Amino acid sequence: MPIRLHNTLSKEKELFEPLDPERVTMYVCGPTVYSYAHIGNARPAVVFDTLFRVLKNRYSNVVYARNITDVDDKINKAAREQNVDISVITQKFAGIYRDDMAALNVQRPSIEPHATAHMPQMIAMIEKLIANGNAYAAEGHVLFHVPSFKDYGALSKRDMREMIAGARVEVAPYKKDPADFVLWKPSDDETPGWDSPWGRGRPGWHIECSAMIETHLGESIDIHGGGHDLQFPHHENELAQGTCAHDGKLYVKYWMHNGFLNVEGDKMSKSIGNVLLVHDLIEQTPGEAIRLALITGHYRAPLDWTANGLVEAKKKLDRLYGALEALTDIEPAANIGAPDAFVDALEDDLNTPKAIAELFGLAKAANTSTSAEEKAQIKAQLLAAGDLIGLLQHTPAEWFDTAKAASDIDGEKVDSLIEARKQARANKDFAEADRIRDELDAMGVELLDSREGTTWKAK
Ligand code: AMP
Ligand code: ZN
């Protein structure tokens, strides 16, 4: 079956027909590297890594670029607070991001362009936009003039007034229209800046991605991805400037967005204290279980991340590795790939829930088969399917060893003790509540109480 992908622009599942089947191009907005990645940031990394694998299975040359945003006001703030150069912060967190994603079996993209390495390209693109009458310089800034692009709003499908209100667009005296957005802004002496025809300054966020796309992938690309929150304003603005800088040429053929991730029903936020960092999670749980928990649901649906979901994902992997373990003495059959139904599911707009159900079908067949020949085939299919979805990358021996080390703590017991402590507190039996906390403490569990309830992590 041919690949079909949901396009945010048409709101429909479309047949995937690359502009050039000899060079399929995909760009995904990567992290802003000023801190650790949270589990929400891991969602697009894992989703588009899965798509990268699926595309490579079909096409011999897939060029996937995922950028590193290493110039940004949040980075500047962190550097100022720590009294270091921005590169100290960005290099540190880009490295941590790479390692954390590798723990989730996220492959390195073909290219990881850094925004700071593309200043001449950004400046050239801005000059082209000015020459084309789509942008103007004012008081050290350069702004994209939104009314100059008649299709503005087509991607996020919002009414212009609603968009401006929603994004709290800054109304500045130098703007011709309140919707106009910044391509370039001035930097004071304390802020990182680059020389430009408009004075010393720095780029706006949107132009970074368009310039990196043009440099590494070309003027028109096949797939552009990111989280749902990037549809507006980031991708709407990219689409406007990317199209205008190339004289109306197609900018992106398929726009794809993953749904948002919440934690135990709440939006992650520092004030609630429920921000889960990948860096911490991989200390407690095998990365593969985190990956499976991220792709158990469909990528476009919102995802409610729960501690229980992660425990379930790990149990599922125990079952899959258990099936492989029983086949330890069997040599996988040669020249057998992932089963058609599995590949079809992934090629149908990345239907990972269906693909995972197919994996379990294979594991079940392995457990019930009595034929050595059949077992050899199933083993080959399981391994190939695992590669395609980024799971089963360990040997069963490695898995059960690391899983044991990571789960010295009995998650179910912890959950029931937390529940008992909650009851004790509700009954005002604080002595019992404290006793349970001590028991958990002795098990190596640290409790994290918040308004929303209690979560835990291994100490
Ligand atoms: P940022 O570093 O904030 O620019 O985000 C990097 C990527 O993570 C972008 O593609 C975002 O859309 C995505 N992202 C951020 N938070 C979440 C979330 N809670 N759920 C899903 N995706 C997210
Ligand atoms: Zn971007």
Side-chain angles (χ1 to χ4, degrees):
M1 235 197 281
I3 297 182
R4 278 162 302 150
L5 299 175
H6 182 272
N7 189 349
T8 310
L9 194 59
S10 67
K11 277 194 166 164
E12 276 175 18
K13 219 192 280 186
E14 296 177 10
L15 200 64
F16 178 65
E17 288 172 313
L19 296 163
D20 175 7
E22 301 300 316
R23 187 172 183 267
V24 175
T25 48
M26 169 159 90
Y27 182 91
V28 171
C29 298
T32 306
V33 281
Y34 66 101
S35 180
Y36 294 93
H38 60 58
I39 189 66
N41 301 134
R43 193 174 191 199
V46 166
V47 163
F48 291 103
D49 173 68
T50 310
L51 180 59
F52 184 35
R53 291 166 186 263
V54 170
L55 292 169
K56 282 193 290 183
N57 188 46
R58 264 267 166 204
Y59 298 95
S60 56
N61 184 18
V62 181
V63 189
Y64 170 27
R66 188 191 61 208
N67 74 295
I68 299 278
T69 299
D70 60 352
V71 46
D72 178 275
D73 287 345
K74 288 192 270 298
I75 299 173
N76 295 342
K77 184 165 173 270
R80 218 174 293 129
E81 280 165 7
Q82 295 169 42
N83 201 19
V84 292
D85 190 80
I86 54 168
S87 63
V88 175
I89 309 259
T90 57
Q91 277 174 18
K92 173 180 167 189
F93 286 108
I96 292 173
Y97 180 81
R98 246 177 240 128
D99 292 347
D100 287 351
M101 294 308 124
L104 310 186
N105 296 342
V106 171
Q107 296 179 332
R108 289 286 288 270
S110 329
I111 314 164
E112 279 175 290
H114 286 57
T116 49
H118 298 77
M119 289 300 156
Q121 292 92 332
M122 291 181 213
I123 290 170
M125 194 177 250
I126 296 171
E127 284 180 317
K128 179 83 195 287
L129 287 167
I130 295 176
N132 281 1
N134 299 108
Y136 58 95
E139 296 180 28
H141 293 73
V142 182
L143 293 124
F144 184 90
H145 190 43
V146 166
S148 75
F149 182 56
K150 68 172 177 20
D151 290 336
Y152 194 83
L155 181 66
S156 48
K157 298 178 183 57
R158 293 194 217 179
D159 171 78
M160 187 80 117
R161 262 194 312 258
E162 188 193 321
M163 285 194 280
I164 294 168
R168 285 190 223 100
V169 171
E170 194 192 347
V171 183
Y174 47 79
K175 281 190 181 181
K176 286 187 187 165
D177 187 282
D180 293 354
F181 59 87
V182 166
L183 299 169
W184 190 265
K185 56 189 166 187
S187 290
D188 60 25
D189 290 346
E190 274 72 56
T191 310
W194 288 260
D195 288 333
S196 83
W198 316 285
R200 186 175 167 278
R202 59 199 192 283
W205 171 34
H206 318 303
I207 197 75
E208 296 176 12
C209 286
S210 293
M212 286 186 271
I213 288 177
E214 182 190 71
T215 306
H216 298 281
L217 302 179
E219 295 192 341
S220 303
I221 65 167
D222 293 312
I223 299 169
H224 192 325
H228 181 259
D229 57 316
L230 298 188
Q231 280 179 33
F232 184 83
H234 186 49
H235 288 168
E236 195 69 62
N237 291 355
E238 262 197 56
L239 173 57
Q241 73 205 4
T243 310
C244 294
H246 303 135
D247 309 314
K249 222 172 165 183
L250 174 81
Y251 181 55
V252 169
K253 197 163 178 196
Y254 306 92
W255 288 93
M256 295 178 69
H257 295 96
N258 62 270
F260 221 59
L261 177 150
N262 284 333
V263 170
E264 313 280 355
D266 283 312
K267 190 170 186 229
M268 263 186 287
S269 88
K270 279 195 185 143
S271 56
I272 299 183
N274 62 349
V275 179
L276 296 179
L277 303 180
V278 178
H279 204 66
D280 294 335
L281 286 169
I282 56 178
E283 290 291 312
Q284 302 157 20
T285 321
E288 234 171 62
I290 298 171
R291 183 181 181 104
L292 178 55
L294 285 171
I295 57 175
T296 294
H298 193 267
Y299 78 91
R300 279 194 283 126
L303 170 64
D304 189 27
W305 180 271
T306 62
N308 193 40
L310 188 53
V311 171
E312 287 303 316
K314 189 174 152 294
K315 282 188 196 156
K316 282 185 190 155
L317 282 165
D318 284 343
R319 268 160 57 204
L320 294 174
Y321 275 108
L324 276 179
E325 192 177 38
L327 302 174
T328 301
D329 297 332
I330 305 263
E331 192 60 33
N335 301 324
I336 294 217
D340 288 347
F342 179 85
V343 179
D344 287 350
L346 289 178
E347 292 190 339
D348 180 12
D349 193 32
L350 229 50
N351 190 341
T352 51
K354 185 147 185 277
I356 292 163
E358 293 292 335
L359 262 186
F360 277 97
L362 279 176
K364 193 168 169 203
N367 292 338
T368 50
S369 172
T370 50
S371 140
E373 198 185 332
E374 195 181 48
K375 283 184 184 175
Q377 284 195 8
I378 297 172
K379 184 167 182 180
Q381 289 180 319
L382 261 175
L383 293 173
D387 283 346
L388 202 52
I389 202 167
L391 298 173
L392 303 180
Q393 301 296 293
H394 303 277
T395 64
E398 282 166 1
W399 172 260
F400 287 113
D401 255 16
T402 51
K404 194 158 140 257
S407 71
D408 270 349
I409 300 172
D410 178 344
E412 280 177 25
K413 186 168 178 203
V414 172
D415 288 344
S416 71
L417 282 171
I418 288 176
E419 187 53 37
R421 175 170 167 266
K422 193 171 143 200
Q423 282 303 324
R425 288 169 126 197
N427 298 336
K428 304 221 175 332
D429 187 353
F430 296 112
E432 174 63 2
D434 285 348
R435 190 199 61 73
I436 296 173
R437 176 184 273 277
D438 289 346
E439 186 180 339
L440 285 162
D441 188 67
M443 287 167 69
V445 171
E446 185 185 339
L447 293 182
L448 306 162
D449 286 322
S450 74
R451 273 190 291 133
E452 318 306 319
T454 303
T455 53
W456 63 276
K457 64 177 197 174
K459 283 196 293 186

